Amino acid sequence: MLSERIIYRRHANMDALMKLAGRPVFDGLQTEVWGSCLAVHDLPIEDYHSQPELSSSNERDRHKSLDLYRARHVEQTMKGLSTASTELGSDIHEWWEKQDDKLSWMTRAPADMLTPTGQIGKKAKEWAAENDISGRLVSENHYWKVLRIITALKANGRAMELLSQVESAEVSLFWEHFNGMMLRTRYDSSIGGGTWLDLKTSFCDDIDIDFPKSVHKFGYGRQEAFYRLAQEAAGMEANGLIFVVVQTQEPFQVRVRKLPEDYVSACRLSVLRSLDDIHLRTELEHWDSSSAEELQVLDMPRWT
């Protein structure tokens, strides 16, 4: 029986990778060739997101909706919005990467500079500008919530054991998919042996009940399948992801979870079809949805 595993060339197209490494945005950064990938260390997250190669989040947008993909990645009329939830997640990831217990990348605004609801507003921003504050400005409530989440992570022995095994973090990988598309991904941290850690923050009531729903809603199985393509292209074992999940509200649960292999395998097949669809539509410049103006009968869930 033919293996479903995609076998990449052992030797990369060095000329193409070196041309990629020559981008001005990579100047001064450590770049290496891993298998058929270009690995870029310490690339600022904003610069990573600005690169043109297709990412896992791009693919998941296509899976959700052709219209969403067209608006966000072709016409680029949709922009991501920063929310309190995304800022909290960014701060937890910052600590996970650097373990800076002093949270030195942020600055607490004085209480009398906050809005009546305790948030950062115009007054706080003016105070920061007048005092030449360089760290990211946060409220007292935000600061203490970050500390409490970090405390919860530290109290989970399994999570801390994995964190102690980290060999590299925040490495960006760029490679050519076998259909000719250029892809990119970025892992939170690697513990070696083809296993990457992925930290997830979850605003939920109970991780044990709600995280499986998040896996489906946010496409974490598709994310893992995409990351395994990167691991294969990099010439490493493709053991996928271990998820460290932390709750962002009381009681700040922490769980360490792995997705079932059969689920990831099914996601892989769907991701490969999706990548082929994006590639073909890009070549044809065809982004219209055939069902947009059709009258259709809804396919309702069984529970109705």
Side-chain angles (χ1 to χ4, degrees):
M1 184 173 66
L2 291 177
S3 170
E4 192 183 315
R5 180 184 176 90
I6 305 300
I7 305 299
Y8 284 85
R9 297 188 307 273
R10 297 289 294 179
H11 300 285
N13 183 330
M14 295 298 293
D15 289 340
L17 291 181
M18 290 303 100
K19 181 179 179 180
L20 181 60
R23 286 182 182 172
V25 73
F26 299 155
D27 284 351
L29 300 178
Q30 179 186 353
T31 58
E32 300 175 311
V33 174
W34 294 359
S36 299
C37 286
L38 177 71
V40 183
H41 298 260
D42 302 318
L43 179 67
I45 189 64
E46 298 83 3
D47 290 335
Y48 168 76
H49 285 304
S50 71
Q51 300 311 297
E53 290 77 18
L54 187 126
S55 69
S56 172
S57 60
N58 297 160
E59 186 282 320
R60 282 177 278 164
D61 282 345
R62 170 62 190 98
H63 179 67
K64 291 174 186 175
S65 163
L66 177 60
D67 293 330
L68 173 63
Y69 185 90
R70 181 180 68 242
R72 183 169 285 168
H73 306 293
V74 180
E75 299 170 349
Q76 298 184 350
T77 55
M78 287 181 64
K79 302 296 181 182
L81 298 177
S82 177
T83 66
S85 179
T86 58
E87 290 178 357
L88 183 61
S90 295
D91 286 330
I92 302 305
H93 276 83
E94 181 79 12
W95 177 83
W96 181 262
E97 179 187 355
K98 299 178 180 176
Q99 287 113 70
D100 176 4
D101 291 337
K102 294 181 180 180
L103 310 187
S104 58
W105 68 89
M106 63 172 70
T107 299
R108 285 179 283 176
D112 60 350
M113 294 294 160
L114 301 176
T115 66
T117 58
Q119 304 302 311
I120 299 295
K122 181 179 179 181
K123 189 175 181 181
K125 292 176 182 177
E126 290 175 347
W127 168 83
E130 291 170 0
N131 291 276
D132 196 25
I133 300 298
S134 58
R136 193 170 71 78
L137 202 60
V138 300
S139 67
E140 192 77 6
N141 286 340
H142 180 93
Y143 180 87
W144 286 107
K145 176 174 274 192
V146 170
L147 278 182
R148 294 186 69 186
I149 293 172
I150 291 171
T151 299
L153 281 165
K154 288 183 173 182
N156 186 288
R158 181 57 175 156
M160 290 300 96
E161 178 187 356
L162 290 170
L163 186 56
S164 71
Q165 298 172 15
V166 168
E167 298 178 352
S168 62
E170 301 295 341
V171 177
S172 302
L173 299 176
F174 301 82
W175 75 100
E176 183 179 347
H177 186 48
F178 59 84
N179 68 3
M181 295 182 68
M182 292 301 295
L183 307 180
R184 62 180 162 94
T185 198
R186 179 186 180 100
Y187 60 76
D188 285 348
S189 45
S190 170
I191 59 174
T195 301
W196 295 346
L197 304 182
D198 196 56
L199 179 67
K200 297 295 187 189
T201 53
S202 178
F203 182 77
C204 64
D205 295 322
D206 188 317
I207 288 178
D208 297 323
I209 296 173
D210 296 325
F211 186 64
K213 301 174 187 176
S214 295
V215 169
H216 177 71
K217 179 178 180 180
F218 298 113
Y220 295 155
R222 306 183 72 84
Q223 176 193 355
E224 176 163 353
F226 193 99
Y227 279 30
R228 289 193 185 198
L229 292 176
Q231 290 174 328
E232 292 168 1
M236 62 179 66
E237 293 183 68
N239 290 325
L241 300 175
I242 294 176
F243 294 94
V244 178
V245 191
V246 59
Q247 186 183 27
T248 58
Q249 63 177 356
E250 295 277 8
F252 302 113
Q253 297 171 316
V254 177
R255 300 288 187 269
V256 179
R257 295 290 182 260
K258 194 93 170 69
L259 300 186
E261 282 296 321
D262 58 345
Y263 179 75
V264 177
S265 295
C267 288
R268 177 192 179 94
L269 292 175
S270 182
V271 167
L272 292 175
R273 288 194 296 268
S274 179
L275 292 176
D276 284 343
D277 177 80
I278 295 170
H279 179 61
L280 180 60
R281 288 181 180 276
T282 302
E283 291 290 312
L284 298 177
E285 297 184 354
H286 178 69
W287 299 103
D288 293 333
S289 175
S290 60
S291 62
E293 299 181 9
E294 294 178 4
L295 175 62
Q296 296 184 347
V297 177
L298 291 177
D299 183 14
M300 300 303 293
R302 293 181 180 180
W303 48 258
T304 57

